[in-house]
Amino acid sequence: MADRRLQIFHAVARHLSFTKAADALFMTQPAVTFQIKQLEEQYATRLFERRHGSIALTPAGELAYEYAGRILALNDEMDQRLGELTGEMRGALLVGASTTIAEFLLPRVLGEFNALYPQVRARLIVGNSETIENQVAANSLDVGLIEAPGKLATLASQVCCVDELQVICAPDHPLAHSRHLSASELVDYEFISREPGSGTREITDAYFSAQGIAPERLKTQMELGSPEALKGVVATGLGFSIVSRAVAEKEILHGTLVGIPLNPILQRDLHLIHPRDRFQSKLLTTFISFARRKLKEQVA
C-alpha cells in the first residue's frame, strides 16, 4: 500500500544509483528518473545532487530517506500482520548476508523457504559482515547472517551454525601435499586475503594472533572482496588462502584446488542478527528458525 514513488526513491537513495535501483526494481532507468522528478516536484525540493557520474542525497533527501525507511518498514509490518490474521504467510522479507554466506550457503535456504511460502517476497542484500550489521541496525534489513558475532548493542545475535575454515591452494603449490598446516608453516608463503571488514578476514587475523603470529608478518599479496575472485587467483598458483570449507567444496571435488585442514582446527560460529527491540512478525520468526535448521544441515 506504500506509495510506489516512495519505494523507488528509497531504492535510489539506498544504491545511490538510478541504474542499480532500476535493476533492483525491474524498471527502466528513464521510468525511475521520471518518478523521482515527480516526487521532487511534489515537495518542491531537490532530493539528489547530480554530479559527474554519481549522485548524492541533499539534506532534504537525507530526511526523506530516513522517513521513507520507517514508512516502508511499517507498511511491510502491516502486510505481515494482516497476513497472519488470515493464516497466510506473506509480505516482504529483507535478508542481508555476508558474501560467503550469500554465495555458498543461503541460496538453497531461500529457495526452499520460497517453495514453502510462495507469497513471501524475499530479497537478498550482499555485503561484508560489517556492512550487513550496520544495515540491520539501521532497520534497512529485517535480518542478517554474518561471519562474526554482532558488535552493536541494538542487535540480538545468535549462533546459527558452526563453519570450518581451511587452507586452499593450487594442486602444484608447495603446500598442496600437506595433511594439515599450522600457522607457523604458512608465514613463508604468499597469502591471498579477504578485504578488511570481512568476517573471514577478522577470524583469520584472530587465528594467527592466537598462534603468536602477527597478521602483518604474513606475505599478503592481494586483498579481495569476492570469494570467487579469491579462488581464481589461488588457482593460478600465486599463493594460498584461508576460506570456509563450503566456499571451495566444488573446486576441491573437481581437483582444481586442494583443501588442507589447519592445526589446530579453525572453526567459527555463523551468526544470525536482527534488531533487539523491533517487533518480530511471525514471518521473521519462522524464517529465523528455518534458516538456522537448514544452515546446520548444510555445514554438518
Side-chain angles (χ1 to χ4, degrees):
M1 295 175 64
D3 190 317
R4 179 62 170 167
R5 288 175 299 177
L6 204 60
Q7 296 172 333
I8 294 169
F9 163 74
H10 192 265
V12 176
R14 186 174 70 249
H15 292 286
L16 288 179
S17 167
F18 285 91
T19 302
K20 291 180 180 179
D23 290 342
L25 296 168
F26 302 102
M27 297 174 64
T28 65
Q29 184 175 333
V32 169
T33 303
F34 175 74
Q35 295 291 339
I36 296 300
K37 183 179 178 182
Q38 280 201 327
L39 200 60
E40 289 179 325
E41 289 176 353
Q42 177 180 336
Y43 291 106
T45 187
R46 295 180 68 84
L47 300 173
F48 295 99
E49 291 287 352
R50 278 74 167 177
R51 301 170 179 171
H52 295 294
S54 65
I55 60 172
L57 286 164
T58 64
E62 293 278 5
L63 182 63
Y65 182 51
E66 178 186 346
Y67 276 96
R70 289 156 63 182
I71 292 167
L72 293 173
L74 282 171
N75 181 79
D76 289 340
E77 184 179 317
M78 181 182 70
D79 194 26
Q80 292 168 10
R81 295 295 298 272
L82 289 173
E84 290 171 13
L85 287 175
T86 62
E88 182 182 37
M89 193 79 72
R90 67 181 186 188
L93 180 66
L94 297 178
V95 181
S98 58
T99 312
T100 296
I101 298 173
E103 292 185 6
F104 301 99
L105 294 173
L106 204 51
R108 188 187 306 174
V109 174
L110 290 176
E112 292 182 10
F113 190 77
N114 182 253
L116 284 174
Y117 307 107
Q119 298 302 315
V120 174
R121 304 184 308 279
R123 182 185 302 168
L124 176 61
I125 308 299
V126 183
N128 63 33
S129 294
E130 183 179 7
T131 299
I132 295 303
E133 184 175 6
N134 289 334
Q135 290 190 6
V136 174
N139 289 319
S140 298
L141 296 171
D142 296 314
V143 62
L145 293 108
I146 58 176
E147 301 159 27
K151 301 180 179 65
L152 301 178
T154 57
L155 299 180
S157 178
Q158 54 187 283
V159 175
C160 58
C161 62
V162 178
D163 181 36
E164 181 185 348
L165 285 83
Q166 61 182 357
V167 172
I168 58 168
C169 62
D172 57 355
H173 191 276
L175 296 172
H177 298 292
S178 304
R179 293 184 61 187
H180 49 72
L181 289 162
S182 65
S184 60
E185 292 175 291
L186 297 172
V187 293
D188 294 328
Y189 297 93
E190 287 75 14
F191 180 43
I192 312 301
S193 174
R194 283 294 304 273
E195 83 288 4
S198 158
T200 299
R201 171 67 174 269
E202 182 177 340
I203 196 73
T204 53
D205 282 356
Y207 179 82
F208 280 105
S209 296
Q211 301 305 309
I213 296 171
E216 295 77 20
R217 285 184 56 195
L218 296 171
K219 298 170 70 172
T220 303
Q221 295 296 307
M222 291 185 186
E223 296 179 339
L224 300 173
S226 160
E228 291 295 341
L230 186 148
K231 288 188 295 182
V233 171
V234 170
T236 68
L238 182 61
F240 77 93
S241 190
I242 297 176
V243 300
S244 165
R245 188 175 63 180
V247 165
E249 188 174 28
K250 181 175 67 176
E251 288 79 7
I252 292 170
L253 182 63
H254 293 164
T256 56
L257 289 175
V258 174
I260 307 157
L262 283 158
N263 183 28
I265 192 171
L266 175 55
Q267 292 181 321
R268 63 178 172 191
D269 295 329
L270 300 183
H271 290 258
L272 194 150
I273 57 174
H274 56 84
R276 187 180 299 277
D277 298 325
R278 183 178 168 186
F279 163 77
Q280 287 192 30
S281 66
K282 183 179 178 182
L283 170 56
L284 181 57
T285 56
T286 300
F287 176 77
I288 288 173
S289 176
F290 183 87
R292 291 183 67 188
R293 184 175 76 255
K294 290 297 179 180
L295 287 170
K296 283 181 182 178
E297 292 175 1
Q298 284 193 60
V299 301

